[in-house]
Amino acid sequence: MYRSKIAGLGGYVPENIVTNFDLEKLMDTSNEWIIERTGIHERRFVTPPCGTSDLALQAVKDAICDANIDKNDIEMIIVATSTPEHLAPGSSSFLQALLELGTIPTLDIRVQCCGFIYGLSIADQFIKTGMYKHILLVGVEVQSVGLDLTTEGRDTAILFGDGAGAVIISRSNDNSGILSTHLFGDGTHAKDLWIDAPAGSESPRISKEMLDERRQYPKMNGRQVFKHAVTRFPEVVIAALEANQWTREDIKLVIPHQANMRITESIAKRLDLPLEKVYSNIHRYGNTTAASVPLAMVDARNEGKIKKNDKLILAAFGSGFTWASAALIW
Ligand code: COA
């Protein structure tokens, strides 16, 4: 068995900054309400046309450069996104073509906010068994084009933003690397945070009636999401601690999916960790779903908060419901 590690990291967000004041012009909301309930000050929206793979490209280039490998060393592409540019094929196929990466396997995974950590776990299995040495994993979202930017959709529209994060997962030849991953799901909550249409169970999948009923927009039972998130996040962090016999003092930083600042504060409180040990950059980007963990890693590294040999825990919770963690030595 081999160990895998994050050998390269890159992130990219669109230039277009959308502040809470910009949203005030589109719906009945306020900067104060958004900051108080979520901690979000601004987010980035793409300027269409811009697909998921287009947005991913710069983050991927930076990750390849950071890993100091040739792009042709990559043996598999995994893209975690809940906002692919088309129903078929997956964004990983479009990204492969953009990168001119030959005939290697490509895989899309749709685990929403947990997509990046699920992807990390999948990549880890391929590296551990010796099947591959270098895998490109991307967490990327173009949420903005699918949001209901009216008062009717304000509970979700204020939360989400666009962005991309990419990592190269490589075989480790030192002590650094991914030590454990824990993945969970509970589909009985599938409709507590979901997008109904296009609906594969109906014919046609998308119709004028569906659009008139606004079924193409995200729907969320915010209180249910909040209640489960503040329980599952600490649980899955504790699972990572116990599996590696780490104490809270051992952890340099917990990097959670950036769902909501109140959820992050609650994680810190329930885990009895100082808030400085639970990373947040939600004020800058909002909730970028599958991109949020790698984007948070990029910012944490740029801020000097993660250094070689640091013990980190990544954790996520989201639509599905799904929740997941990864313990790693940087
Ligand atoms: N601006 C202003 N008011 C808003 C609003 C907005 N953007 N969105 C909702 N409201 C209103 C509601 O309509 C409601 O009004 P009412 O009392 O007249 O009915 C009021 O604010 C309170 O709504 P409620 O849903 O009870 O608020 P809340 O305290 O639960 O906060 C969330 C709403 C969405 C911030 C909160 O539920 C939450 O953080 N949930 C988790 C969301 C999340 O993290 N999702 C991603 C998971 S990966």
Side-chain angles (χ1 to χ4, degrees), residues 28-30 33 37-38 113 154-155 158-160 193 220 222-223 225-226 257 259-260 262-263 287 317-318:
D28 182 13
T29 190
S30 68
W33 193 97
R37 305 291 174 117
T38 71
C113 302
R154 64 184 178 173
D155 61 331
I158 53 127
L159 291 176
F160 295 105
L193 179 49
M220 178 176 73
R223 291 199 171 177
V225 173
F226 193 92
H257 160 56
N260 181 318
R262 284 195 308 165
I263 292 176
N287 177 340
F317 173 89

Coordinates of all heavy atoms in Angstrom, one line a residue, residues 28-30 33 37-38 113 154-155 158-160 193 220 222-223 225-226 257 259-260 262-263 287 317-318, ligand 1:
D28 N -35.6 41.6 -1.9 CA -35.8 42.2 -0.6 C -34.9 41.5 0.4 O -35.2 40.5 1.0 CB -37.3 42.0 -0.2 CG -37.6 42.6 1.1 OD1 -36.8 43.4 1.6 OD2 -38.7 42.4 1.6
T29 N -33.7 42.1 0.6 CA -32.7 41.6 1.6 C -31.9 42.8 2.0 O -32.1 43.9 1.5 CB -31.9 40.5 1.0 OG1 -31.1 39.8 2.0 CG2 -30.9 41.0 -0.1
S30 N -31.0 42.5 2.9 CA -30.1 43.6 3.4 C -28.7 43.1 3.7 O -28.6 41.9 4.1 CB -30.7 44.3 4.6 OG -30.6 43.5 5.7
W33 N -28.7 41.7 7.2 CA -29.3 40.4 7.4 C -28.3 39.3 6.9 O -28.1 38.3 7.6 CB -30.6 40.3 6.6 CG -31.5 39.1 7.0 CD1 -32.5 39.1 7.9 CD2 -31.4 37.8 6.5 NE1 -33.1 37.9 8.0 CE2 -32.4 37.0 7.1 CE3 -30.5 37.1 5.6 CZ2 -32.6 35.6 6.9 CZ3 -30.7 35.8 5.4 CH2 -31.7 35.0 6.0
R37 N -26.7 36.5 9.5 CA -27.1 35.1 9.4 C -26.1 34.2 8.8 O -26.1 33.0 8.9 CB -28.4 35.0 8.5 CG -29.5 35.8 9.0 CD -30.1 35.3 10.3 NE -31.1 36.2 10.7 CZ -32.4 35.9 10.9 NH1 -32.8 34.7 10.6 NH2 -33.3 36.7 11.3
T38 N -25.1 34.8 7.9 CA -24.2 33.9 7.2 C -22.8 34.3 7.2 O -21.9 33.4 6.9 CB -24.6 33.9 5.7 OG1 -24.3 35.2 5.1 CG2 -26.1 33.6 5.4
C113 N -21.7 19.7 -1.7 CA -20.7 20.4 -0.9 C -19.6 19.4 -0.4 O -18.6 19.8 0.0 CB -21.4 21.0 0.3 SG -22.6 22.2 -0.2
R154 N -34.6 34.3 -2.2 CA -33.5 35.0 -1.4 C -32.8 34.1 -0.4 O -31.7 34.4 0.0 CB -34.1 36.2 -0.8 CG -35.1 36.0 0.3 CD -35.7 37.2 0.8 NE -36.8 36.9 1.8 CZ -37.4 37.8 2.6 NH1 -37.0 39.1 2.4 NH2 -38.3 37.5 3.4
D155 N -33.5 33.1 0.2 CA -32.9 32.3 1.2 C -31.7 31.5 0.7 O -30.7 31.3 1.4 CB -33.9 31.3 1.9 CG -34.5 30.3 0.9 OD1 -34.6 30.6 -0.3 OD2 -34.8 29.2 1.4
I158 N -28.6 34.2 -1.7 CA -27.6 35.0 -1.0 C -26.4 34.2 -0.6 O -25.3 34.7 -0.2 CB -28.2 35.7 0.2 CG1 -28.9 34.7 1.1 CG2 -29.1 36.8 -0.2 CD1 -28.5 34.7 2.5
L159 N -26.6 32.8 -0.6 CA -25.5 32.0 0.0 C -24.4 31.6 -1.0 O -23.3 31.5 -0.6 CB -26.2 30.6 0.4 CG -27.1 30.6 1.6 CD1 -27.7 29.2 1.8 CD2 -26.3 31.0 2.9
F160 N -24.8 31.4 -2.3 CA -23.9 30.7 -3.2 C -23.1 31.6 -4.1 O -23.5 32.7 -4.4 CB -24.7 29.7 -4.0 CG -25.3 28.6 -3.2 CD1 -26.6 28.6 -2.9 CD2 -24.5 27.6 -2.7 CE1 -27.2 27.6 -2.2 CE2 -25.0 26.6 -1.9 CZ -26.4 26.6 -1.6
L193 N -32.4 20.0 0.5 CA -31.6 20.9 -0.3 C -31.4 20.3 -1.6 O -30.6 19.4 -1.8 CB -30.3 21.2 0.4 CG -29.3 22.1 -0.2 CD1 -30.0 23.5 -0.6 CD2 -28.1 22.4 0.7
M220 N -34.4 24.9 -0.4 CA -33.7 24.5 0.8 C -34.6 24.7 2.1 O -35.3 25.7 2.2 CB -32.5 25.4 1.0 CG -31.7 25.1 2.3 SD -30.2 26.1 2.3 CE -30.9 27.7 2.7
G222 N -33.8 25.5 5.2 CA -32.6 26.1 5.9 C -32.5 25.6 7.3 O -31.3 25.3 7.7
R223 N -33.6 25.5 8.0 CA -33.4 25.1 9.4 C -33.0 23.7 9.6 O -32.2 23.4 10.5 CB -34.7 25.4 10.2 CG -35.0 26.9 10.3 CD -36.0 27.2 11.3 NE -36.0 28.6 11.4 CZ -36.8 29.3 12.2 NH1 -37.7 28.6 13.0 NH2 -36.8 30.6 12.3
V225 N -31.2 22.0 7.4 CA -29.8 21.9 7.0 C -28.9 22.4 8.1 O -28.0 21.7 8.5 CB -29.6 22.8 5.7 CG1 -28.1 22.9 5.4 CG2 -30.4 22.3 4.5
F226 N -29.3 23.5 8.7 CA -28.5 24.0 9.8 C -28.4 23.0 11.0 O -27.3 22.8 11.5 CB -29.2 25.3 10.3 CG -28.3 26.1 11.2 CD1 -27.4 27.1 10.7 CD2 -28.3 25.9 12.6 CE1 -26.6 27.8 11.5 CE2 -27.4 26.6 13.4 CZ -26.6 27.6 12.9
H257 N -15.9 22.9 4.9 CA -16.7 23.5 3.8 C -17.3 24.8 4.3 O -17.8 24.8 5.4 CB -17.8 22.5 3.4 CG -18.9 23.1 2.6 ND1 -18.6 23.8 1.4 CD2 -20.2 23.2 2.8 CE1 -19.8 24.3 1.0 NE2 -20.7 23.9 1.8
A259 N -20.0 26.7 4.5 CA -21.4 26.7 4.3 C -22.0 28.0 4.8 O -22.9 28.6 4.1 CB -22.1 25.5 5.1
N260 N -21.5 28.4 5.9 CA -22.2 29.5 6.6 C -21.4 29.8 7.9 O -21.0 28.9 8.6 CB -23.6 29.0 7.0 CG -24.4 30.0 7.8 OD1 -24.0 30.7 8.6 ND2 -25.7 30.0 7.4
R262 N -22.1 31.0 10.7 CA -22.7 30.5 12.0 C -22.5 29.0 12.2 O -22.3 28.5 13.3 CB -24.2 30.8 12.0 CG -24.5 32.3 12.3 CD -25.9 32.5 12.7 NE -26.8 31.9 11.7 CZ -28.1 31.7 11.9 NH1 -28.7 32.0 13.0 NH2 -28.8 31.2 10.9
I263 N -22.5 28.3 11.1 CA -22.2 26.8 11.2 C -20.7 26.6 11.6 O -20.4 25.8 12.5 CB -22.5 26.1 9.9 CG1 -24.0 26.1 9.6 CG2 -22.0 24.7 9.9 CD1 -24.5 25.5 8.3
N287 N -20.7 30.5 -0.3 CA -20.6 29.1 -0.3 C -20.4 28.6 -1.8 O -21.3 28.8 -2.6 CB -22.0 28.5 0.2 CG -22.1 27.0 0.2 OD1 -21.3 26.4 -0.6 ND2 -23.0 26.5 1.0
F317 N -20.2 19.2 4.9 CA -21.6 18.7 5.1 C -22.4 19.4 4.0 O -22.2 20.6 3.7 CB -22.2 19.1 6.4 CG -23.6 18.8 6.6 CD1 -24.1 17.5 7.0 CD2 -24.6 19.7 6.2 CE1 -25.4 17.2 7.1 CE2 -26.0 19.4 6.2 CZ -26.4 18.2 6.7
G318 N -23.4 18.7 3.4 CA -24.2 19.4 2.4 C -25.4 18.5 1.9 O -25.7 17.5 2.5
Ligands
COA1 N1 -32.9 38.4 3.4 C1 -33.8 38.8 4.3 N2 -34.7 38.0 4.9 C2 -34.7 36.7 4.5 C3 -33.8 36.2 3.6 C4 -32.9 37.1 3.0 N3 -32.0 36.8 2.1 N4 -33.9 34.9 3.5 C5 -34.9 34.6 4.3 N5 -35.4 35.7 5.0 C6 -36.5 35.8 5.9 C7 -37.4 34.7 5.9 O1 -38.4 34.9 4.8 C8 -38.1 34.8 7.2 O2 -39.1 35.8 7.2 P1 -40.4 35.6 8.0 O3 -40.0 35.4 9.5 O4 -41.2 36.8 7.7 O5 -41.0 34.3 7.5 C9 -37.0 35.3 8.1 O6 -36.0 35.8 7.2 C10 -36.3 34.2 8.9 O7 -36.2 33.1 8.1 P2 -35.6 31.8 8.7 O8 -35.5 30.8 7.6 O9 -36.2 31.4 9.9 O10 -34.1 32.3 9.0 P3 -32.9 31.5 9.6 O11 -32.6 32.2 10.9 O12 -33.2 30.0 9.7 O13 -31.8 31.8 8.6 C11 -30.6 30.7 6.9 C12 -31.9 31.4 7.3 C13 -30.7 30.2 5.4 C14 -29.5 31.7 6.9 C15 -30.4 29.5 7.8 O14 -31.5 28.7 7.9 C16 -29.1 28.7 7.5 O15 -28.0 29.2 7.6 N6 -29.3 27.5 7.1 C17 -28.3 26.6 6.6 C18 -28.0 27.0 5.2 C19 -26.8 26.4 4.6 O16 -25.7 26.5 5.2 N7 -26.9 25.9 3.4 C20 -25.8 25.3 2.7 C21 -25.5 24.0 3.3 S1 -24.2 23.3 2.4

